[in-house]
Amino acid sequence: NWLGTLVAPDALELEKANKKKKKEMKTSLTLLNTTTGETVAREKVKSFAFSRDSKWLIYQLFKDTKKKKDKKKKKEEKQKEVEKKAVEKKETDKKEKDKWAEKSFTIVLHNLASGEEVKLENIIYYALDPSSRFLVYSVYEKEKKGNGLFVRELKKPGTPVRKIHAEPEALYTNLK
């Protein structure tokens, strides 16, 4: 009953836009309900997938560039890192894990029947089971407040969440 497509920014608008505006112009998602003809649009969508039972849509948003630090602050941080040449192994491991925090993204779980959406942030991996009953995802953030492995039950109202395992320093990857 649904058709989805990513729509690239208009080529003419891209050509006319300045550098800053070009960076803000991202692909969008358009959904068409083939039964009713209704369309739904979402901005700044990087990718999407339907569940096998066609009841759910999961789409990944582009990172919000407004939250990123400006270049000057980044340069200052890099300079401080260079000055601290004697880095312990523990700090090296921490920096490696912080790279995961930078790679994290936001996904939106969209119920196609009701239109209800659940936004999940700081995701590094996610997977749907073949029966479309469960969404499993791992969270990793620099502050390490909500890191863990979680499962959402898609067949139950409100998609209740269960914590499988959570530990501030843990990193959960390659979910299947």
Side-chain angles (χ1 to χ4, degrees):
N1 294 333
W2 292 91
L3 172 72
T5 184
L6 289 177
V7 180
D10 185 70
L12 290 174
E13 286 182 32
L14 268 175
E15 205 172 291
K16 293 177 185 177
N18 61 26
K19 267 188 178 183
K20 187 176 181 181
K21 182 85 172 163
K22 281 182 184 180
K23 286 183 180 182
E24 292 175 12
M25 296 175 81
K26 305 288 185 192
T27 56
S28 61
L29 170 66
T30 299
L31 288 174
L32 170 66
N33 183 328
T34 59
T35 307
T36 65
E38 175 191 3
T39 60
V40 178
R42 297 291 183 263
E43 297 294 318
K44 299 183 180 182
V45 175
K46 189 172 187 176
S47 63
F48 72 97
F50 290 103
S51 62
R52 283 193 178 176
D53 66 359
S54 300
K55 293 182 180 178
W56 296 94
L57 168 75
I58 298 173
Y59 60 92
Q60 179 183 343
L61 299 173
F62 280 100
K63 271 221 182 250
D64 189 6
T65 55
K66 292 178 184 176
K67 290 183 182 178
K68 290 185 179 180
K69 298 175 185 173
D70 60 88
K71 290 180 182 179
K72 191 175 184 180
K73 285 184 180 179
K74 283 185 179 182
K75 284 182 182 179
E76 289 173 3
E77 287 177 4
K78 284 183 181 180
Q79 191 172 3
K80 286 178 184 178
E81 286 180 32
V82 170
E83 292 171 1
K84 295 178 181 181
K85 291 181 182 179
V87 178
E88 298 173 15
K89 186 182 181 324
K90 194 173 189 179
E91 289 177 5
T92 304
D93 290 346
K94 182 182 175 189
K95 286 180 185 176
E96 185 65 32
K97 286 185 178 180
D98 285 347
K99 288 180 186 177
W100 283 101
E102 291 298 320
K103 291 179 182 181
S104 70
F105 50 87
T106 300
I107 62 172
V108 178
L109 182 60
H110 178 91
N111 183 317
L112 292 166
S114 69
E116 182 183 342
E117 291 188 339
V118 178
K119 192 175 195 179
L120 305 170
E121 297 179 337
N122 301 311
I123 306 298
I124 54 173
Y125 278 96
Y126 69 95
L128 273 167
D129 75 311
S131 67
S132 302
R133 289 180 53 214
F134 300 101
L135 170 70
V136 179
Y137 58 95
S138 59
V139 173
Y140 190 87
E141 58 183 23
K142 281 185 181 180
E143 291 80 27
K144 298 170 180 51
K145 292 178 186 173
N147 294 355
L149 183 62
F150 303 89
V151 63
R152 282 191 176 264
E153 295 184 53
L154 301 178
K155 300 286 183 184
K156 292 187 179 177
T159 63
V161 144
R162 283 188 314 186
K163 183 184 341 177
I164 304 294
H165 189 261
E167 191 174 305
E169 296 295 324
L171 178 65
Y172 308 90
T173 62
N174 299 324
L175 304 177
K176 300 287 183 229

PDB file of all heavy atoms in Angstrom, residues 139-169:
ATOM      1  N   VAL A 139      22.791   2.188  21.136  1.00  0.00           N
ATOM      2  CA  VAL A 139      22.962   3.620  21.362  1.00  0.00           C
ATOM      3  C   VAL A 139      24.364   3.855  21.892  1.00  0.00           C
ATOM      4  O   VAL A 139      24.842   3.118  22.762  1.00  0.00           O
ATOM      5  CB  VAL A 139      21.914   4.131  22.383  1.00  0.00           C
ATOM      6  CG1 VAL A 139      22.181   5.568  22.773  1.00  0.00           C
ATOM      7  CG2 VAL A 139      20.510   3.955  21.841  1.00  0.00           C
ATOM      8  N   TYR A 140      25.006   4.894  21.355  1.00  0.00           N
ATOM      9  CA  TYR A 140      26.308   5.303  21.884  1.00  0.00           C
ATOM     10  C   TYR A 140      26.423   6.812  21.780  1.00  0.00           C
ATOM     11  O   TYR A 140      26.224   7.388  20.720  1.00  0.00           O
ATOM     12  CB  TYR A 140      27.471   4.643  21.128  1.00  0.00           C
ATOM     13  CG  TYR A 140      28.784   4.885  21.822  1.00  0.00           C
ATOM     14  CD1 TYR A 140      29.219   4.034  22.821  1.00  0.00           C
ATOM     15  CD2 TYR A 140      29.556   5.990  21.521  1.00  0.00           C
ATOM     16  CE1 TYR A 140      30.403   4.267  23.500  1.00  0.00           C
ATOM     17  CE2 TYR A 140      30.740   6.238  22.192  1.00  0.00           C
ATOM     18  CZ  TYR A 140      31.164   5.380  23.177  1.00  0.00           C
ATOM     19  OH  TYR A 140      32.318   5.618  23.867  1.00  0.00           O
ATOM     20  N   GLU A 141      26.719   7.455  22.899  1.00  0.00           N
ATOM     21  CA  GLU A 141      26.905   8.905  22.908  1.00  0.00           C
ATOM     22  C   GLU A 141      28.124   9.256  23.750  1.00  0.00           C
ATOM     23  O   GLU A 141      28.541   8.469  24.611  1.00  0.00           O
ATOM     24  CB  GLU A 141      25.655   9.617  23.432  1.00  0.00           C
ATOM     25  CG  GLU A 141      25.252   9.193  24.810  1.00  0.00           C
ATOM     26  CD  GLU A 141      23.976   9.864  25.289  1.00  0.00           C
ATOM     27  OE1 GLU A 141      23.179  10.318  24.461  1.00  0.00           O
ATOM     28  OE2 GLU A 141      23.798   9.925  26.502  1.00  0.00           O
ATOM     29  N   LYS A 142      28.681  10.409  23.502  1.00  0.00           N
ATOM     30  CA  LYS A 142      29.895  10.821  24.208  1.00  0.00           C
ATOM     31  C   LYS A 142      29.695  10.873  25.719  1.00  0.00           C
ATOM     32  O   LYS A 142      30.571  10.482  26.475  1.00  0.00           O
ATOM     33  CB  LYS A 142      30.353  12.200  23.721  1.00  0.00           C
ATOM     34  CG  LYS A 142      31.082  12.177  22.422  1.00  0.00           C
ATOM     35  CD  LYS A 142      31.592  13.553  22.070  1.00  0.00           C
ATOM     36  CE  LYS A 142      32.314  13.492  20.739  1.00  0.00           C
ATOM     37  NZ  LYS A 142      32.845  14.786  20.337  1.00  0.00           N
ATOM     38  N   GLU A 143      28.545  11.386  26.156  1.00  0.00           N
ATOM     39  CA  GLU A 143      28.284  11.525  27.582  1.00  0.00           C
ATOM     40  C   GLU A 143      28.037  10.176  28.257  1.00  0.00           C
ATOM     41  O   GLU A 143      28.016  10.086  29.473  1.00  0.00           O
ATOM     42  CB  GLU A 143      27.076  12.446  27.816  1.00  0.00           C
ATOM     43  CG  GLU A 143      27.350  13.885  27.451  1.00  0.00           C
ATOM     44  CD  GLU A 143      27.244  14.153  25.956  1.00  0.00           C
ATOM     45  OE1 GLU A 143      26.496  13.435  25.251  1.00  0.00           O
ATOM     46  OE2 GLU A 143      27.929  15.059  25.483  1.00  0.00           O
ATOM     47  N   LYS A 144      27.790   9.143  27.458  1.00  0.00           N
ATOM     48  CA  LYS A 144      27.619   7.768  27.925  1.00  0.00           C
ATOM     49  C   LYS A 144      26.463   7.609  28.905  1.00  0.00           C
ATOM     50  O   LYS A 144      26.453   6.728  29.740  1.00  0.00           O
ATOM     51  CB  LYS A 144      28.917   7.260  28.548  1.00  0.00           C
ATOM     52  CG  LYS A 144      30.058   7.225  27.554  1.00  0.00           C
ATOM     53  CD  LYS A 144      31.363   6.955  28.243  1.00  0.00           C
ATOM     54  CE  LYS A 144      32.530   6.898  27.320  1.00  0.00           C
ATOM     55  NZ  LYS A 144      32.697   7.975  26.406  1.00  0.00           N
ATOM     56  N   LYS A 145      25.444   8.483  28.804  1.00  0.00           N
ATOM     57  CA  LYS A 145      24.304   8.422  29.722  1.00  0.00           C
ATOM     58  C   LYS A 145      23.340   7.301  29.365  1.00  0.00           C
ATOM     59  O   LYS A 145      22.821   6.631  30.233  1.00  0.00           O
ATOM     60  CB  LYS A 145      23.563   9.756  29.723  1.00  0.00           C
ATOM     61  CG  LYS A 145      24.361  10.876  30.342  1.00  0.00           C
ATOM     62  CD  LYS A 145      23.603  12.177  30.264  1.00  0.00           C
ATOM     63  CE  LYS A 145      24.475  13.318  30.764  1.00  0.00           C
ATOM     64  NZ  LYS A 145      23.839  14.617  30.549  1.00  0.00           N
ATOM     65  N   GLY A 146      23.096   7.113  28.071  1.00  0.00           N
ATOM     66  CA  GLY A 146      22.091   6.137  27.669  1.00  0.00           C
ATOM     67  C   GLY A 146      22.636   5.022  26.807  1.00  0.00           C
ATOM     68  O   GLY A 146      21.884   4.408  26.050  1.00  0.00           O
ATOM     69  N   ASN A 147      23.926   4.755  26.881  1.00  0.00           N
ATOM     70  CA  ASN A 147      24.523   3.720  26.042  1.00  0.00           C
ATOM     71  C   ASN A 147      23.947   2.350  26.374  1.00  0.00           C
ATOM     72  O   ASN A 147      23.742   2.011  27.530  1.00  0.00           O
ATOM     73  CB  ASN A 147      26.042   3.673  26.227  1.00  0.00           C
ATOM     74  CG  ASN A 147      26.718   4.921  25.720  1.00  0.00           C
ATOM     75  OD1 ASN A 147      26.085   5.795  25.152  1.00  0.00           O
ATOM     76  ND2 ASN A 147      28.014   5.001  25.912  1.00  0.00           N
ATOM     77  N   GLY A 148      23.706   1.580  25.327  1.00  0.00           N
ATOM     78  CA  GLY A 148      23.204   0.245  25.570  1.00  0.00           C
ATOM     79  C   GLY A 148      22.624  -0.396  24.335  1.00  0.00           C
ATOM     80  O   GLY A 148      22.647   0.164  23.237  1.00  0.00           O
ATOM     81  N   LEU A 149      22.108  -1.573  24.547  1.00  0.00           N
ATOM     82  CA  LEU A 149      21.461  -2.362  23.506  1.00  0.00           C
ATOM     83  C   LEU A 149      19.989  -2.487  23.895  1.00  0.00           C
ATOM     84  O   LEU A 149      19.667  -2.909  25.004  1.00  0.00           O
ATOM     85  CB  LEU A 149      22.119  -3.739  23.422  1.00  0.00           C
ATOM     86  CG  LEU A 149      21.636  -4.685  22.342  1.00  0.00           C
ATOM     87  CD1 LEU A 149      21.878  -4.098  20.959  1.00  0.00           C
ATOM     88  CD2 LEU A 149      22.351  -6.017  22.464  1.00  0.00           C
ATOM     89  N   PHE A 150      19.094  -2.101  22.971  1.00  0.00           N
ATOM     90  CA  PHE A 150      17.672  -2.034  23.270  1.00  0.00           C
ATOM     91  C   PHE A 150      16.866  -2.773  22.211  1.00  0.00           C
ATOM     92  O   PHE A 150      17.305  -2.930  21.079  1.00  0.00           O
ATOM     93  CB  PHE A 150      17.202  -0.575  23.314  1.00  0.00           C
ATOM     94  CG  PHE A 150      17.950   0.253  24.307  1.00  0.00           C
ATOM     95  CD1 PHE A 150      19.113   0.915  23.955  1.00  0.00           C
ATOM     96  CD2 PHE A 150      17.499   0.363  25.614  1.00  0.00           C
ATOM     97  CE1 PHE A 150      19.819   1.674  24.875  1.00  0.00           C
ATOM     98  CE2 PHE A 150      18.192   1.117  26.542  1.00  0.00           C
ATOM     99  CZ  PHE A 150      19.349   1.782  26.176  1.00  0.00           C
ATOM    100  N   VAL A 151      15.649  -3.185  22.602  1.00  0.00           N
ATOM    101  CA  VAL A 151      14.727  -3.828  21.665  1.00  0.00           C
ATOM    102  C   VAL A 151      13.358  -3.187  21.844  1.00  0.00           C
ATOM    103  O   VAL A 151      12.931  -2.902  22.959  1.00  0.00           O
ATOM    104  CB  VAL A 151      14.672  -5.366  21.853  1.00  0.00           C
ATOM    105  CG1 VAL A 151      14.141  -5.748  23.202  1.00  0.00           C
ATOM    106  CG2 VAL A 151      13.863  -6.017  20.750  1.00  0.00           C
ATOM    107  N   ARG A 152      12.696  -2.932  20.720  1.00  0.00           N
ATOM    108  CA  ARG A 152      11.319  -2.412  20.721  1.00  0.00           C
ATOM    109  C   ARG A 152      10.408  -3.486  20.153  1.00  0.00           C
ATOM    110  O   ARG A 152      10.708  -4.059  19.107  1.00  0.00           O
ATOM    111  CB  ARG A 152      11.199  -1.159  19.872  1.00  0.00           C
ATOM    112  CG  ARG A 152      11.731   0.050  20.570  1.00  0.00           C
ATOM    113  CD  ARG A 152      11.349   1.318  19.818  1.00  0.00           C
ATOM    114  NE  ARG A 152      11.777   2.460  20.553  1.00  0.00           N
ATOM    115  CZ  ARG A 152      11.012   3.167  21.384  1.00  0.00           C
ATOM    116  NH1 ARG A 152       9.770   2.834  21.564  1.00  0.00           N
ATOM    117  NH2 ARG A 152      11.488   4.201  22.023  1.00  0.00           N
ATOM    118  N   GLU A 153       9.300  -3.716  20.838  1.00  0.00           N
ATOM    119  CA  GLU A 153       8.323  -4.698  20.381  1.00  0.00           C
ATOM    120  C   GLU A 153       7.323  -3.983  19.468  1.00  0.00           C
ATOM    121  O   GLU A 153       6.495  -3.208  19.934  1.00  0.00           O
ATOM    122  CB  GLU A 153       7.623  -5.340  21.564  1.00  0.00           C
ATOM    123  CG  GLU A 153       8.574  -6.156  22.422  1.00  0.00           C
ATOM    124  CD  GLU A 153       7.853  -6.866  23.541  1.00  0.00           C
ATOM    125  OE1 GLU A 153       6.873  -7.581  23.254  1.00  0.00           O
ATOM    126  OE2 GLU A 153       8.278  -6.693  24.687  1.00  0.00           O
ATOM    127  N   LEU A 154       7.407  -4.259  18.180  1.00  0.00           N
ATOM    128  CA  LEU A 154       6.603  -3.543  17.197  1.00  0.00           C
ATOM    129  C   LEU A 154       5.154  -4.006  17.127  1.00  0.00           C
ATOM    130  O   LEU A 154       4.300  -3.290  16.601  1.00  0.00           O
ATOM    131  CB  LEU A 154       7.259  -3.646  15.819  1.00  0.00           C
ATOM    132  CG  LEU A 154       8.681  -3.098  15.739  1.00  0.00           C
ATOM    133  CD1 LEU A 154       9.251  -3.302  14.357  1.00  0.00           C
ATOM    134  CD2 LEU A 154       8.725  -1.642  16.137  1.00  0.00           C
ATOM    135  N   LYS A 155       4.854  -5.176  17.615  1.00  0.00           N
ATOM    136  CA  LYS A 155       3.484  -5.701  17.563  1.00  0.00           C
ATOM    137  C   LYS A 155       2.619  -5.191  18.715  1.00  0.00           C
ATOM    138  O   LYS A 155       1.412  -5.345  18.686  1.00  0.00           O
ATOM    139  CB  LYS A 155       3.485  -7.240  17.574  1.00  0.00           C
ATOM    140  CG  LYS A 155       4.223  -7.863  16.406  1.00  0.00           C
ATOM    141  CD  LYS A 155       3.441  -7.746  15.130  1.00  0.00           C
ATOM    142  CE  LYS A 155       4.188  -8.453  13.999  1.00  0.00           C
ATOM    143  NZ  LYS A 155       3.569  -8.310  12.731  1.00  0.00           N
ATOM    144  N   LYS A 156       3.236  -4.579  19.727  1.00  0.00           N
ATOM    145  CA  LYS A 156       2.491  -4.088  20.883  1.00  0.00           C
ATOM    146  C   LYS A 156       2.256  -2.587  20.760  1.00  0.00           C
ATOM    147  O   LYS A 156       3.111  -1.871  20.226  1.00  0.00           O
ATOM    148  CB  LYS A 156       3.242  -4.394  22.178  1.00  0.00           C
ATOM    149  CG  LYS A 156       3.307  -5.878  22.486  1.00  0.00           C
ATOM    150  CD  LYS A 156       3.905  -6.122  23.837  1.00  0.00           C
ATOM    151  CE  LYS A 156       3.927  -7.621  24.139  1.00  0.00           C
ATOM    152  NZ  LYS A 156       4.579  -7.896  25.417  1.00  0.00           N
ATOM    153  N   PRO A 157       1.129  -2.089  21.238  1.00  0.00           N
ATOM    154  CA  PRO A 157       0.840  -0.650  21.163  1.00  0.00           C
ATOM    155  C   PRO A 157       1.909   0.173  21.884  1.00  0.00           C
ATOM    156  O   PRO A 157       2.348  -0.188  22.978  1.00  0.00           O
ATOM    157  CB  PRO A 157      -0.509  -0.507  21.874  1.00  0.00           C
ATOM    158  CG  PRO A 157      -1.081  -1.877  21.938  1.00  0.00           C
ATOM    159  CD  PRO A 157       0.061  -2.835  21.865  1.00  0.00           C
ATOM    160  N   GLY A 158       2.311   1.259  21.265  1.00  0.00           N
ATOM    161  CA  GLY A 158       3.308   2.128  21.873  1.00  0.00           C
ATOM    162  C   GLY A 158       4.733   1.644  21.736  1.00  0.00           C
ATOM    163  O   GLY A 158       5.649   2.265  22.255  1.00  0.00           O
ATOM    164  N   THR A 159       4.945   0.549  21.046  1.00  0.00           N
ATOM    165  CA  THR A 159       6.268  -0.056  20.845  1.00  0.00           C
ATOM    166  C   THR A 159       7.112  -0.011  22.121  1.00  0.00           C
ATOM    167  O   THR A 159       8.087   0.713  22.205  1.00  0.00           O
ATOM    168  CB  THR A 159       7.041   0.608  19.687  1.00  0.00           C
ATOM    169  OG1 THR A 159       7.294   1.975  20.008  1.00  0.00           O
ATOM    170  CG2 THR A 159       6.300   0.494  18.378  1.00  0.00           C
ATOM    171  N   PRO A 160       6.707  -0.792  23.134  1.00  0.00           N
ATOM    172  CA  PRO A 160       7.452  -0.759  24.397  1.00  0.00           C
ATOM    173  C   PRO A 160       8.930  -1.127  24.196  1.00  0.00           C
ATOM    174  O   PRO A 160       9.271  -1.942  23.353  1.00  0.00           O
ATOM    175  CB  PRO A 160       6.744  -1.802  25.265  1.00  0.00           C
ATOM    176  CG  PRO A 160       5.908  -2.599  24.346  1.00  0.00           C
ATOM    177  CD  PRO A 160       5.668  -1.791  23.128  1.00  0.00           C
ATOM    178  N   VAL A 161       9.762  -0.486  25.009  1.00  0.00           N
ATOM    179  CA  VAL A 161      11.213  -0.666  24.914  1.00  0.00           C
ATOM    180  C   VAL A 161      11.701  -1.519  26.067  1.00  0.00           C
ATOM    181  O   VAL A 161      11.249  -1.366  27.193  1.00  0.00           O
ATOM    182  CB  VAL A 161      11.899   0.712  24.962  1.00  0.00           C
ATOM    183  CG1 VAL A 161      13.189   0.702  25.698  1.00  0.00           C
ATOM    184  CG2 VAL A 161      12.125   1.252  23.602  1.00  0.00           C
ATOM    185  N   ARG A 162      12.632  -2.415  25.759  1.00  0.00           N
ATOM    186  CA  ARG A 162      13.320  -3.196  26.788  1.00  0.00           C
ATOM    187  C   ARG A 162      14.806  -2.981  26.635  1.00  0.00           C
ATOM    188  O   ARG A 162      15.328  -2.971  25.520  1.00  0.00           O
ATOM    189  CB  ARG A 162      13.033  -4.688  26.630  1.00  0.00           C
ATOM    190  CG  ARG A 162      11.683  -5.095  27.119  1.00  0.00           C
ATOM    191  CD  ARG A 162      11.550  -6.585  27.108  1.00  0.00           C
ATOM    192  NE  ARG A 162      12.066  -7.110  25.834  1.00  0.00           N
ATOM    193  CZ  ARG A 162      11.997  -8.357  25.445  1.00  0.00           C
ATOM    194  NH1 ARG A 162      11.457  -9.247  26.202  1.00  0.00           N
ATOM    195  NH2 ARG A 162      12.470  -8.741  24.283  1.00  0.00           N
ATOM    196  N   LYS A 163      15.479  -2.845  27.755  1.00  0.00           N
ATOM    197  CA  LYS A 163      16.925  -2.725  27.752  1.00  0.00           C
ATOM    198  C   LYS A 163      17.498  -4.126  27.821  1.00  0.00           C
ATOM    199  O   LYS A 163      17.200  -4.887  28.739  1.00  0.00           O
ATOM    200  CB  LYS A 163      17.383  -1.903  28.960  1.00  0.00           C
ATOM    201  CG  LYS A 163      18.854  -1.656  29.008  1.00  0.00           C
ATOM    202  CD  LYS A 163      19.343  -0.919  30.244  1.00  0.00           C
ATOM    203  CE  LYS A 163      18.333  -0.171  31.011  1.00  0.00           C
ATOM    204  NZ  LYS A 163      18.847   0.458  32.230  1.00  0.00           N
ATOM    205  N   ILE A 164      18.302  -4.496  26.825  1.00  0.00           N
ATOM    206  CA  ILE A 164      18.948  -5.802  26.820  1.00  0.00           C
ATOM    207  C   ILE A 164      20.193  -5.758  27.707  1.00  0.00           C
ATOM    208  O   ILE A 164      20.401  -6.602  28.559  1.00  0.00           O
ATOM    209  CB  ILE A 164      19.355  -6.231  25.389  1.00  0.00           C
ATOM    210  CG1 ILE A 164      18.152  -6.211  24.455  1.00  0.00           C
ATOM    211  CG2 ILE A 164      20.068  -7.564  25.393  1.00  0.00           C
ATOM    212  CD1 ILE A 164      17.101  -7.221  24.761  1.00  0.00           C
ATOM    213  N   HIS A 165      21.003  -4.734  27.478  1.00  0.00           N
ATOM    214  CA  HIS A 165      22.232  -4.559  28.251  1.00  0.00           C
ATOM    215  C   HIS A 165      22.643  -3.101  28.149  1.00  0.00           C
ATOM    216  O   HIS A 165      22.525  -2.504  27.085  1.00  0.00           O
ATOM    217  CB  HIS A 165      23.341  -5.467  27.702  1.00  0.00           C
ATOM    218  CG  HIS A 165      24.552  -5.501  28.565  1.00  0.00           C
ATOM    219  ND1 HIS A 165      25.667  -4.755  28.319  1.00  0.00           N
ATOM    220  CD2 HIS A 165      24.820  -6.193  29.703  1.00  0.00           C
ATOM    221  CE1 HIS A 165      26.571  -4.987  29.252  1.00  0.00           C
ATOM    222  NE2 HIS A 165      26.082  -5.866  30.102  1.00  0.00           N
ATOM    223  N   ALA A 166      23.114  -2.543  29.234  1.00  0.00           N
ATOM    224  CA  ALA A 166      23.577  -1.157  29.217  1.00  0.00           C
ATOM    225  C   ALA A 166      24.784  -1.022  30.118  1.00  0.00           C
ATOM    226  O   ALA A 166      24.797  -1.532  31.233  1.00  0.00           O
ATOM    227  CB  ALA A 166      22.481  -0.214  29.671  1.00  0.00           C
ATOM    228  N   GLU A 167      25.782  -0.372  29.577  1.00  0.00           N
ATOM    229  CA  GLU A 167      27.005  -0.117  30.320  1.00  0.00           C
ATOM    230  C   GLU A 167      27.636   1.124  29.702  1.00  0.00           C
ATOM    231  O   GLU A 167      27.744   1.199  28.474  1.00  0.00           O
ATOM    232  CB  GLU A 167      27.938  -1.317  30.198  1.00  0.00           C
ATOM    233  CG  GLU A 167      29.113  -1.265  31.138  1.00  0.00           C
ATOM    234  CD  GLU A 167      29.928  -2.547  31.086  1.00  0.00           C
ATOM    235  OE1 GLU A 167      29.351  -3.632  31.284  1.00  0.00           O
ATOM    236  OE2 GLU A 167      31.131  -2.440  30.825  1.00  0.00           O
ATOM    237  N   PRO A 168      28.058   2.091  30.516  1.00  0.00           N
ATOM    238  CA  PRO A 168      28.555   3.354  29.966  1.00  0.00           C
ATOM    239  C   PRO A 168      29.678   3.216  28.933  1.00  0.00           C
ATOM    240  O   PRO A 168      29.704   3.933  27.959  1.00  0.00           O
ATOM    241  CB  PRO A 168      29.039   4.118  31.192  1.00  0.00           C
ATOM    242  CG  PRO A 168      28.258   3.555  32.322  1.00  0.00           C
ATOM    243  CD  PRO A 168      28.010   2.108  31.966  1.00  0.00           C
ATOM    244  N   GLU A 169      30.578   2.288  29.110  1.00  0.00           N
ATOM    245  CA  GLU A 169      31.716   2.155  28.210  1.00  0.00           C
ATOM    246  C   GLU A 169      31.498   1.122  27.096  1.00  0.00           C
ATOM    247  O   GLU A 169      32.365   0.926  26.257  1.00  0.00           O
ATOM    248  CB  GLU A 169      32.975   1.769  28.990  1.00  0.00           C
ATOM    249  CG  GLU A 169      33.430   2.840  29.982  1.00  0.00           C
ATOM    250  CD  GLU A 169      33.880   4.119  29.313  1.00  0.00           C
ATOM    251  OE1 GLU A 169      34.482   4.069  28.223  1.00  0.00           O
ATOM    252  OE2 GLU A 169      33.618   5.187  29.887  1.00  0.00           O
TER     253      GLU A 169
END
